[in-house]
């Protein structure tokens, strides 16, 4: 018994739109739904991005 699977190409993945806000990644030709970010992940990201928010956009970084 053979099970047929449809593998997605990179071109198909780049143009894929399922009409939702869900994010996906391509793993070995298979489309895999990515989980939403956890509150801890958001806190870690803000910890690292926060100091850069205090730098004015027109100020050169030396």
């Amino acid at each position: 018994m053979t099970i047929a699977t449809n593998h997605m190409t990179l071109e198909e993945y780049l143009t894929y739109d399922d009409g939702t806000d869900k994010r996906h990644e391509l793993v070995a030709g298979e489309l895999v739904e990515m989980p939403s970010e956890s509150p801890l992940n958001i806190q870690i990201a803000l910890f690292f991005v926060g100091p850069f928010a205090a730098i004015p956009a027109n100020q050169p970084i030396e």
Side-chain angles (χ1 to χ4, degrees), residues 5-18 24-26 28-31:
T5 58
N6 293 334
H7 284 68
M8 186 177 276
T9 65
L10 178 60
E11 291 80 19
E12 292 171 329
Y13 170 72
L14 292 176
T15 59
Y16 178 77
D17 183 12
D18 65 352
H24 299 86
E25 61 185 358
L26 190 63
E30 298 289 329
L31 194 63

Side-chain angles (χ1 to χ4, degrees), residues 1 3-5 8 13 17 21 26 29 31 34 36 42 48 56 59:
M1 177 174 175
I3 299 174
T5 58
M8 186 177 276
Y13 170 72
D17 183 12
D21 290 335
L26 190 63
L31 194 63
M34 296 173 54
S36 60
I42 293 170
F48 287 107
Q59 179 181 350

